[in-house]
Every structure is written in C-alpha cells, then in structure tokens.
C-alpha cells in the first residue's frame, strides 16, 4: 500500500524539477522509483530531509542539491503519521520533522503519501505528537508542554535518548485528541526550547492514500478516486 501510493506520487515529477525528498519507509519506495527513472534519463535534483534519505538517494543515484543552490523546490514528496480531513498532518515519527517542515514550507507543491491506516477523523488520537526540543534544560521544556494536557515521553533508542539530525531530542506528546491543531501548532512553538513540532497545517496540497483497492487521492475539499 505504501509502495503504490509512493509510485503514484512519482508520476507528478517532471523533467528539470527540484524535488524535496521526505523521510520514512513510504518515501523509500518513492526514492527507489525516482532512482530508476533517473537511470532511464529523467533529469531532476533532490533535496533530502534527513541523513537517512540522503544515504538512500545516493544509493539510488539521485542527484542532490540544497535549497540554497537550487533556489526553489517545485515539488516535495513526503510521508506522514496521521492525515485528517483538512489534509492537516502529524509528522515526525521518523524524527525528521524540522527539516521536513523547512522543505515543505519552501515547496511550491507538496504531495503526501500514506497507507490508509494513516487517515484519521481527528489528529492525535492514535499517534503522539513529536516535538523537537534542544537538549539544554529539556526537562523544563517538557514541563511547559504538559500544560497542553498530554502525556510526554522522551524518545529513546534502546536506553539512550534519540538524537535528531540537528542534535536535539524528541518529546512524544500523547493527547486524547488534538482539538485545535492550527492553534496548537503555533502555541507549542512559542515555548522556549521547542525547535519545531510535528503538526503540518495547511501545507499538503494532495494526499495519495494506498489501500487494498488501489490508490485514492485526497485534495483540499475534493476526494477523487
Ligand atoms: C519522518 O520524520 C516522518 O515525518 C515520516 O514522514 C512519517 O513518520 C511517515 O513515516 P513512514 O512512511 O515510515 O510511515
């Protein structure tokens, strides 16, 4: 399901585009397909949103650039952990939310690729909201985040804190449900120590959902098969 969504998104890539390359297991399928097309003659450049994606892009021989060098991003293809009816997202399950949001913000078009388990009525019911925080006095930042009525855990790998590509921690914030994602995205980012949060509001133009019956495309207010 992830693969069919990813491959459908790659159909939107045109010659000479600069492409934002998201992060995660769904994007991996897109990278593989893009690499195949590049080897067949497609001319594009990619901007990776994580060290993992950079490694994979190199493996698939996708030429890379930076936003500074390219000046613009025509299209970004990225995954998500949750998608609601307004195409608002929770991202950051893979820890790359800050770089993903930078690239999304500067992209002309954003296509999100997910399997159908990620489409939800309300954000935050099933998936905790990742918040990237600087290490300095992170416990105080955590305390400030608790005001939003969530259960917070420091993301760990085995027994050690998970470290982002930017050298920071991730706090995973579990809500019953996020009632006002638009406001919460703003409010969380006002807390000193917070680098970025995983709410992506109003950024996605199109969500391609892979399901057992094939793909479905969600666009703002319109649902097409
Ligand atoms: C990376 O930080 C995330 O935002 C991913 O895009 C998201 O977690 C989706 O990952 P999968 O495609 O692996 O489910």
């Amino acid at each position: 399901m992830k693969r069919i969504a990813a491959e459908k998104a790659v159909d939107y890539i045109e010659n000479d585009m600069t492409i934002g390359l998201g992060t995660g297991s769904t994007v991996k399928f897109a990278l593989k397909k893009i690499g195949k097309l590049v080897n067949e003659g497609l001319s594009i450049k990619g901007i990776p949103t994580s060290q993992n994606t950079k490694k994979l892009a190199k493996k698939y021989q996708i030429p890379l650039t930076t936003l500074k060098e390219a000046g613009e991003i025509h299209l970004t293809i990225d995954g998500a952990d949750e998608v609601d009816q307004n195409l608002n997202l929770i991202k950051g399950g893979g820890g790359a939310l800050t770089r993903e949001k930078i690239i999304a913000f500067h992209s002309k078009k954003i296509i999100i690729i997910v399997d159908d388990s990620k489409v939800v009525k309300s954000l935050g019911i099933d998936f905790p909201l990742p918040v990237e925080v600087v290490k300095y006095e992170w416990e105080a930042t955590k305390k400030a985040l608790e005001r939003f009525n969530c259960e917070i855990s420091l993301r760990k790998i085995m027994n050690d804190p998970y470290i982002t590509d930017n050298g920071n921690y991730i706090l995973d914030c579990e809500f019953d449900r996020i009632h006002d994602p638009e406001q919460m995205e703003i409010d969380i980012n006002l807390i000193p120590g917070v680098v970025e949060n995983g709410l992506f509001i109003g950024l996605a133009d199109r969500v391609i959902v892979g399901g057992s019956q094939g793909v479905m495309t969600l666009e703002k207010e319109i649902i097409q098969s």
Side-chain angles (χ1 to χ4, degrees):
M1 292 191 244
K2 289 181 175 188
R3 185 179 53 75
I4 55 170
E7 292 187 349
K8 175 78 182 163
V10 173
D11 289 347
Y12 290 90
I13 295 179
E14 293 169 17
N15 224 28
D16 295 328
M17 277 184 163
T18 300
I19 307 293
L21 304 172
T23 295
S25 56
T26 317
V27 165
K28 190 175 173 186
F29 289 110
L31 295 173
K32 197 169 178 187
K33 180 82 189 289
I34 295 169
K36 187 169 178 277
L37 295 176
V38 165
N39 280 307
E40 290 167 5
L42 177 74
S43 167
I44 57 111
K45 282 187 175 168
I47 303 180
T49 53
S50 62
Q51 292 301 336
N52 267 346
T53 294
K54 192 174 184 179
K55 233 186 273 166
L56 284 169
K58 284 187 172 163
K59 176 177 164 194
Y60 296 129
Q61 297 175 306
I62 301 170
L64 296 179
T65 185
T66 59
L67 181 49
K68 186 179 170 195
E69 193 177 84
E72 59 181 350
I73 305 171
H74 299 100
L75 170 66
T76 286
I77 298 176
D78 203 350
D81 302 302
E82 283 191 344
V83 178
D84 75 7
Q85 307 301 312
N86 300 314
L87 307 196
N88 292 328
L89 318 169
I90 287 184
K91 286 183 52 54
L97 62 138
T98 300
R99 294 188 185 198
E100 289 173 334
K101 204 183 271 192
I102 293 169
I103 293 306
F105 181 83
H106 293 287
S107 297
K108 289 189 175 151
K109 282 257 173 263
I110 298 162
I111 300 180
I112 297 298
I113 48 180
V114 291
D115 65 56
D116 58 8
S117 69
K118 309 273 187 78
V119 181
V120 297
K121 283 221 168 79
S122 247
L123 295 176
I125 296 178
D126 295 327
F127 200 86
L129 176 67
V131 179
E132 181 164 351
V133 300
V134 297
K135 289 178 188 169
Y136 178 78
E137 298 285 9
W138 68 270
E139 294 91 340
T141 310
K142 176 173 179 267
K143 213 167 192 177
L145 282 165
E146 277 161 3
R147 273 188 278 138
F148 293 100
N149 292 324
C150 52
E151 292 271 320
I152 304 178
S153 51
L154 176 66
R155 190 177 295 183
K156 291 195 172 166
I157 293 192
M158 311 291 272
N159 283 327
D160 295 322
Y162 171 87
I163 308 288
T164 69
D165 284 348
N166 313 308
N168 299 313
Y169 288 160
I170 298 273
L171 297 177
D172 286 306
C173 306
E174 214 169 312
F175 293 87
D176 287 339
R177 158 175 181 227
I178 297 174
H179 292 274
D180 187 349
E182 287 84 358
Q183 194 57 47
M184 184 161 286
E185 182 192 26
I186 296 164
D187 291 347
I188 288 179
N189 282 2
L190 288 176
I191 297 173
V194 168
V195 176
E196 191 49 84
N197 71 78
L199 285 166
F200 282 51
I201 306 299
L203 288 170
D205 294 295
R206 181 173 285 147
V207 177
I208 300 178
V209 185
S212 51
Q213 310 294 318
V215 292
M216 185 175 75
T217 301
L218 308 176
E219 295 187 55
K220 283 176 191 159
E221 313 290 334
I222 308 166
I223 298 180
Q224 303 178 328
S225 285

